[in-house]
Amino acid sequence: MTKSWKDDDVRAGWAQIAGQGPFVYGLTNYIAANLSANVLLAAGAGPAIGAASDWTTTFPAGASAVWINTAALMSSDEESLRTVARTAHEAGTPWVLDPVAVGAGAAKYDDFVRSLLEFRPAVIRGNASELIALAGGEATGKGVETTVSSADAVAAVSEFAARIGAVVAVSGPVDYISDGTRTEEVPGGDVRLTRVTGAGCALGALTAAAVFANGDAFQGAVVSHAAYAEAAERAGARTRGTGEFAVALVDELSLL
């Protein structure tokens, strides 16, 4: 089935974020942190980002939701990421895993990312190459970029979701969200999402907020992806370059 901003349940689910104002804690890479925080603020959520002091042992238990972008290893150590995932899992806090660059050839890194699945993320989101590799398929990533389309990953994503008991969302020209039983497709967006640093990373943060606000991982993932696609289309319609597009994306999210 196809879902978009035109659907009443998507718009209602989006309104729930601002209505509840969730506190969303995350570890992400320093390149994406600013956009991720601004995207959360635009949706009406409150962000905190980073592994400062004892945040990793306290914030995941008290947060509404958590997200971990594994490129956070650029500035945080493996134990910090594991502590956040473990604490969220033990506290029952829903969390989102963004397995950046899995399948790009860094075997030790890939093994670490797979180890985080032990802590049962509610949603795993990424590009097609990342998710195929994480599911155990052939590694095809080129750095942080995918070499296959989102449509090519649908079967692997659905099987992976059923096997691990999580919602899996693959981004591309059309996004696909699956829980292993249901699969929704979310069209739309703008090609400049692939040309702005941290745009995909920020979607992981937004998904965490939507999962909490909707009380359901599958619906939350659908809502966040559909809203992001709509905001990107609106931003793309009124901008020319990638810099103004990035600012307009945040603006349009705040205006949805």
Side-chain angles (χ1 to χ4, degrees):
M1 293 181 63
T2 300
K3 299 292 285 188
S4 73
W5 182 251
K6 296 177 181 179
D7 292 293
D8 291 342
D9 63 325
V10 169
R11 294 195 301 273
W14 177 256
Q16 286 294 317
I17 301 175
Q20 298 188 39
F23 165 44
V24 183
Y25 172 61
L27 295 183
T28 192
N29 63 83
Y30 54 78
I31 297 170
N34 183 70
L35 182 58
S36 297
N38 284 335
V39 162
L40 284 169
L41 289 166
I49 299 173
S53 189
D54 59 349
W55 287 14
T56 60
T57 57
T58 56
F59 282 7
S64 305
V66 166
W67 93 100
I68 297 175
N69 177 301
T70 54
L73 290 172
M74 294 164 66
S75 54
S76 299
D77 58 23
E78 291 183 358
E79 187 53 35
S80 292
L81 272 65
R82 287 187 64 83
T83 297
V84 170
R86 182 189 304 110
T87 304
H89 173 58
E90 292 176 351
T93 305
W95 70 280
V96 173
L97 174 64
D98 189 339
V100 177
V102 164
K108 182 179 178 183
Y109 170 79
D110 288 1
D111 288 343
F112 169 73
V113 175
R114 291 189 180 96
S115 77
L116 296 177
L117 298 176
E118 167 189 355
F119 303 113
R120 304 297 299 274
V123 178
I124 303 168
R125 68 142 310 274
N127 65 41
S129 288
E130 291 164 346
L131 294 176
I132 289 171
L134 190 62
E138 182 179 358
T140 61
K142 185 177 181 181
V144 298
E145 303 299 331
T146 186
T147 60
V148 294
S149 74
S150 54
D152 293 331
V154 174
V157 160
S158 179
E159 184 279 330
F160 186 40
R163 173 158 43 96
I164 67 170
V167 172
V168 182
V170 55
S171 297
V174 176
D175 299 337
Y176 296 91
I177 296 100
S178 181
D179 64 1
T181 301
R182 301 168 288 175
T183 299
E184 298 278 16
E185 58 182 70
V186 178
D190 189 280
V191 69
R192 281 169 287 180
L193 286 172
T194 65
R195 298 171 185 166
V196 171
T197 299
C201 304
L203 179 54
L206 184 62
T207 298
V211 166
F212 171 80
N214 285 266
D216 180 82
F218 185 79
Q219 181 65 10
V222 169
V223 166
S224 61
H225 284 70
Y228 213 61
E230 177 69 15
E233 284 192 355
R234 295 185 185 188
R238 65 179 179 87
T239 59
R240 295 174 61 194
T242 56
E244 62 176 343
F245 172 78
V247 175
L249 174 65
V250 176
D251 286 343
E252 294 298 338
L253 285 167
S254 73
L255 295 171
L256 283 180

